[in-house]
Amino acid sequence: MEFILFKLVLVISVFVASLLIAMYSTYGERKIAAFFQDRLGPNRAGPFGLLQPLADGVKMFMKEEIIPTNADKALFILGPCVMMMTACMTGVVIPWGNSLIIGGQEYMMQITDINIGILYVFGVVSIGVYGIMIGGWASNNKYSLMGAIRGSSQMISYELAMGLAIIALIMTTGTLSIREMVQQQHGAHWNVFYQPLGFLLFIICAFAECNRTPFDLPECETELVGGYHTEYSSMKLGFYLFAEYINMFISSAIIASLYFGGYNFPFLSNLGLSHNALSLLGTAVFFGKIFFFIFLFMWIRWTIPRFRYDQLMHLGWRIMIPLALFNILLTALVVLWRSGQLG
Amino acid sequence: MEPSLPFYILATLSVFSALMVVLSRKPVHSVLYLIFCFFTIGCHYLLLNAQFLFAVHIIVYTGAIMVLFLFSIMFINMNKESEPHKNTLIKIAAGVLAGLLFLVLLEATKGAETLGPPSPNESYSTVANLGKVLYGQYLLPFEIISIMLLSAMVGAVMLGKKSVD
């Protein structure tokens, strides 16, 4: 009973946290953009403009909802639903912290630790493509369709390199469960030191999967009006934009837990704190890492211009995939050499 | 062992979506139903406690192959006017052939032994065990299949290149 109650609390808090963080990422994005461009950013609603996300949300809900006459109505609604659902599904396998001991019983701060955690993430991400494709096609608009096609081909291309980068990581850690990967990085044995090339490939692919600059071609305004969500208005548009921020949060969490030790930090066990306090501190550190990566996403967005489409495909297929394959070979050699089987 | 309630729900969904693939009017709807059908079949693997197969099925079929399928269907503008009409004789022949094939399939599966759902603690479906079986017991078939896939891939690239030039 307590077990179910704890999991329920955890599910709700992860859900609420991802929505809240996504909400305030929009605020952060605008503030950071303003800083990079020497402006002030939103500062009217509330102190420092802190109520701006709320105002934006109310605006989105209150706007008139338009479904184009020639659109496929059911699919037009299904598009943003799929997008939002897949964005919220990935948080399930991420270990948000170590365990808490309440009343002599140990509770893991992770919704579920399935033994194929990382593959689950890939599965959900690969389904996420359909949100863009369905929405773009159902709008019955050339620009939307072009945006959708671009978005999905980009995501398929970079999913390959991402998978190959992860294979090298799996070879060194020997597990598919994200929790075990995090536990192996106890202390300062972060995977980024063992897999620098893999990490670089992974983070580039994560940018491409989130459709963030420099890979935001699906919504390239200068060529495609608004991209796949040109015809969308009101909260359906809001869901598309919001899902992007949730995806950013989740991919930051995955990068932090796969390559930067998750809830581990150096000298963790030398502090002499109780188990629960250490776990909570670990969670705080984990969120610190996540916020750093969210900042990195924004930093790059406001610094680098977007690629041309053929450059994007060239990078994906001719550079990223061969590099990832090379990384696998290199990792295999090192793993064999270290286990003494190379003769 | 009797099939559980989740099995019945999933089975109904997959049969329904499989039927809708054939019955829906718009090609894009058919593809989307097919995607859903693959998804429910993937969930059947979960009921059999084969998580790895589930994940691979979702990633490969639902995620990769069907995206390409949807891609090409979206690009081809299929209208009702351009649809070629077959004559009645061919339709009847196709129906009879499909029915016969169905009978053969029924006959083939009738004799198969029924497997109950495995207990949750059984570890035969973990990735490590799967790897040991694939690279130990079935090494030769595995390697032959990979060579076949490789040659198919090379062939596909060659065909693709030809049409560009």
Side-chain angles (χ1 to χ4, degrees), chain A residues 72 75 78 114-116 119-120 122-124 126-127 129-130 133-134 137 145-146 148-150 152-153 156 159 176, chain B residues 26 28-29 32 35 39 51-52 54-56 58-59 61-68 70-71 73-75 126-127:
Chain A
D72 190 319
L75 291 187
L78 185 68
I114 42 181
N115 56 13
I116 47 147
L119 291 180
Y120 169 85
F122 270 94
V124 174
S126 65
I127 292 175
V129 188
Y130 290 115
M133 284 191 93
I134 291 172
W137 184 79
L145 185 61
M146 286 299 288
I149 299 278
R150 276 189 180 188
S152 38
S153 46
I156 304 168
E159 231 173 64
L176 287 171
Chain B
K26 286 185 184 167
V28 171
H29 287 198
L32 289 176
I35 292 165
F39 182 75
Q51 289 102 335
F52 181 70
F54 162 73
V56 169
I58 297 289
I59 294 170
Y61 282 94
T62 318
I65 294 180
M66 289 318 288
V67 169
L68 296 178
L70 195 57
F71 231 75
I73 296 285
M74 278 179 178
F75 268 129
T126 60
V127 189

Side-chain angles (χ1 to χ4, degrees), chain A residues 62-318:
Chain A
M62 293 297 169
K63 271 199 159 181
E64 188 191 355
E65 191 156 327
I66 301 165
I67 298 183
T69 325
N70 287 329
D72 190 319
K73 281 197 184 57
L75 291 187
F76 193 75
I77 297 169
L78 185 68
C81 296
V82 171
M83 199 70 189
M84 198 67 188
M85 196 182 74
T86 49
C88 293
M89 266 167 76
T90 340
V92 170
V93 289
I94 295 169
W96 300 99
N98 206 344
S99 54
L100 284 179
I101 298 176
I102 305 168
Q105 198 149 13
E106 199 176 10
Y107 296 103
M108 294 294 173
M109 282 169 78
Q110 182 184 20
I111 295 170
T112 173
D113 179 25
I114 42 181
N115 56 13
I116 47 147
I118 190 77
L119 291 180
Y120 169 85
V121 174
F122 270 94
V124 174
V125 167
S126 65
I127 292 175
V129 188
Y130 290 115
I132 293 179
M133 284 191 93
I134 291 172
W137 184 79
S139 305
N140 205 356
N141 174 327
K142 274 179 204 160
Y143 297 111
S144 301
L145 185 61
M146 286 299 288
I149 299 278
R150 276 189 180 188
S152 38
S153 46
Q154 170 185 330
M155 281 169 99
I156 304 168
S157 315
Y158 281 80
E159 231 173 64
L160 287 175
M162 195 182 213
L164 293 174
I166 284 294
I167 285 177
L169 183 70
I170 294 169
M171 278 156 74
T172 52
T173 54
T175 175
L176 287 171
S177 146
I178 300 181
R179 183 171 202 91
E180 276 177 43
M181 284 188 190
V182 172
Q183 274 166 351
Q184 285 174 4
Q185 301 175 60
H186 187 75
H189 297 286
W190 293 354
N191 281 331
V192 66
F193 302 127
Y194 302 103
Q195 283 287 332
L197 185 59
F199 164 69
L200 199 67
L201 293 169
F202 188 83
I203 197 165
I204 292 173
C205 293
F207 273 77
E209 292 286 314
C210 291
N211 291 329
R212 294 285 301 188
T213 323
F215 304 104
D216 63 342
L217 288 143
E219 36 194 300
C220 176
E221 296 92 354
T222 42
E223 296 163 22
L224 291 176
V225 192
Y228 58 89
H229 50 56
T230 306
E231 296 287 349
Y232 278 88
S233 59
S234 181
M235 203 52 206
K236 289 206 206 64
L237 172 68
F239 276 151
Y240 269 124
L241 302 182
F242 210 63
E244 185 185 316
Y245 283 94
I246 299 179
N247 279 334
M248 215 162 82
F249 166 60
I250 295 291
S251 34
S252 301
I254 289 173
I255 293 168
S257 44
L258 290 188
Y259 289 98
F260 283 83
Y263 50 77
N264 288 307
F265 55 95
F267 315 113
L268 178 84
S269 39
N270 301 358
L271 289 173
L273 291 168
S274 70
H275 181 79
N276 281 355
L278 266 182
S279 296
L280 289 177
L281 193 62
T283 305
V285 169
F286 184 45
F287 272 93
K289 289 173 188 170
I290 293 174
F291 290 143
F292 171 74
F293 282 108
I294 293 181
F295 172 69
L296 189 73
F297 269 95
M298 294 173 181
W299 189 1
I300 290 178
R301 170 164 181 187
W302 297 105
T303 313
I304 300 177
R306 69 167 69 91
F307 281 112
R308 221 169 52 213
Y309 195 67
D310 60 314
Q311 289 172 333
L312 171 104
M313 282 297 163
H314 182 265
L315 178 72
W317 288 94
R318 301 253 172 97

